[in-house]
Amino acid sequence: MALAGALTACGSGGDAEDGAAAAEGAFEGEDLDLVVPYEPGGGYDAYARALAPYLEECTGARVVVRNEPGAGGLVATNKTAAAPASENRLQIVNTVGLVSAQIAGAEGANFDLDDLNWIGRVSAPPNVVVVSPDSRFQTWQDIVDAEETVRFVAQGPGANDYIAPTILGEAYGFPYEIVTGFAGSTEARQAVVAGNADAHALPVDSQLGAIESGDVRPVVTVDDEPDPLLPDTPAISDTEAADADAQTIVDNLIAMGQTGRSLIASPQMEEDRVAALREGYQCAIGNQELVDELESQQRPLNPLSGEETAQLVREVLDSPEEFQQLVVDSY
């Protein structure tokens, strides 16, 4: 629905032209860095490079994609948060990771998400829990009902695949263990494939290749409705938690996942330039060629406006103490 609204507002005709004209007024002929806080080749890099030419068209700027890896994205994000008003710097971020880092007071997170200028959400792939094809767990309900310890794999404390099982295990009350020490998510998932662990939770687009190859089988997506890329996999909202407090924890985990991948700019950037970036972004995502290109890569858009993204982030930062403590416990 969010994408449909964006397409209606910006897809063709006068509205799109007006949005592009407003954005061009601030950035016409200037260089605009689009920063990816990870190495080239991943999902964030793919989204940024797909967006860049359409942002150029809509802002009149020369958009240059720059990869600035380090500290799980914190190096680039800290730099963006401190960028002066004169620096034309736009960044794609793992909003879920930033929100959890701020809640946990993680070392190295030198920013306040309330201060950042949010340009818009790009996508929001939910976590999906996968098991091996011959797993003793056929459904998510089987995991919830487990009497023996369910072994999840994760890259380490603070990682997405560590936070999700911690919160899910506590909310649904099943015995669980998180096995860490893997070099990356692929190695962690391989432990599930080999039968040395039971389950792994990561965003859908990070698991999709292994799912399609048959290496793993999805049992649930951590969302309030099935994901379009996995329409036959039930959403976790279909499985009620033990009580109202536990359900609130699950609902907040879903909300945190829905912060997704977003675009940010420095708190110091002038208001008219922030407005121009927001208008340019809305114009870009209204281009059907971009939508088709990303869908062909199985990386669909699921956009929100800058204002909507900021509000969603604020709601998660204001989540109940019980949920926030579980995030803290995951670091």
Side-chain angles (χ1 to χ4, degrees), residues 300-322:
L301 286 167
N302 188 359
L304 291 176
S305 70
E307 294 86 348
E308 291 168 326
T309 305
Q311 178 60 30
L312 182 56
V313 168
R314 168 47 33 210
E315 289 173 359
V316 178
L317 291 176
D318 288 339
S319 56
E321 182 179 348
E322 294 79 6

Side-chain angles (χ1 to χ4, degrees), residues 90-320:
L90 178 66
Q91 183 185 329
I92 189 169
V93 295
N94 172 5
T95 323
V96 177
L98 299 186
V99 169
S100 61
Q102 181 157 324
I103 289 174
E107 184 178 356
N110 303 322
F111 49 78
D112 186 337
L113 298 182
D114 281 330
D115 293 339
L116 296 176
N117 278 307
W118 295 90
I119 306 306
R121 186 180 74 182
V122 177
S123 66
N127 278 324
V128 56
V129 178
V130 301
V131 298
S132 67
D134 57 354
S135 172
R136 60 192 170 110
F137 302 114
Q138 293 299 306
T139 66
W140 174 246
Q141 190 64 54
D142 289 343
I143 293 178
V144 171
D145 294 338
E147 296 183 358
E148 296 182 2
T149 300
V150 182
R151 296 166 301 163
F152 283 84
V153 291
Q155 297 165 75
N160 190 319
D161 51 7
Y162 196 103
I163 296 171
T166 298
I167 294 174
L168 292 173
E170 295 298 328
Y172 285 98
F174 57 83
Y176 69 96
E177 175 187 1
I178 303 177
V179 182
T180 62
F182 302 98
S185 60
T186 301
E187 184 177 307
R189 183 172 55 240
Q190 193 57 41
V192 175
V193 175
N196 297 323
D198 295 309
H200 190 205
L202 271 184
V204 166
D205 56 354
S206 297
Q207 301 276 37
L208 195 59
I211 292 170
E212 292 181 337
S213 69
D215 287 343
V216 293
R217 177 169 51 83
V219 294
V220 73
T221 54
V222 185
D223 209 347
D224 49 17
E225 58 184 24
D227 187 80
L229 294 176
L230 296 172
D232 297 327
T233 302
I236 204 164
S237 57
D238 293 340
T239 306
E240 291 187 5
D243 54 41
D245 289 341
Q247 188 61 53
T248 296
I249 290 172
V250 174
D251 291 343
N252 278 275
L253 179 61
I254 291 172
M256 187 164 75
Q258 290 174 344
T259 62
R261 296 168 173 172
S262 305
L263 295 172
I264 62 168
S266 167
Q268 285 71 241
M269 184 174 282
E270 296 176 358
E271 290 185 8
D272 63 327
R273 298 175 81 77
V274 173
L277 283 180
R278 288 176 170 178
E279 290 164 356
Y281 174 62
Q282 290 298 315
C283 169
I285 62 175
N287 192 307
Q288 189 61 44
E289 291 182 3
L290 172 62
V291 175
D292 293 342
E293 178 183 345
L294 287 170
E295 286 186 349
S296 72
Q297 298 180 34
Q298 294 185 310
R299 299 187 186 279
L301 286 167
N302 188 359
L304 291 176
S305 70
E307 294 86 348
E308 291 168 326
T309 305
Q311 178 60 30
L312 182 56
V313 168
R314 168 47 33 210
E315 289 173 359
V316 178
L317 291 176
D318 288 339
S319 56

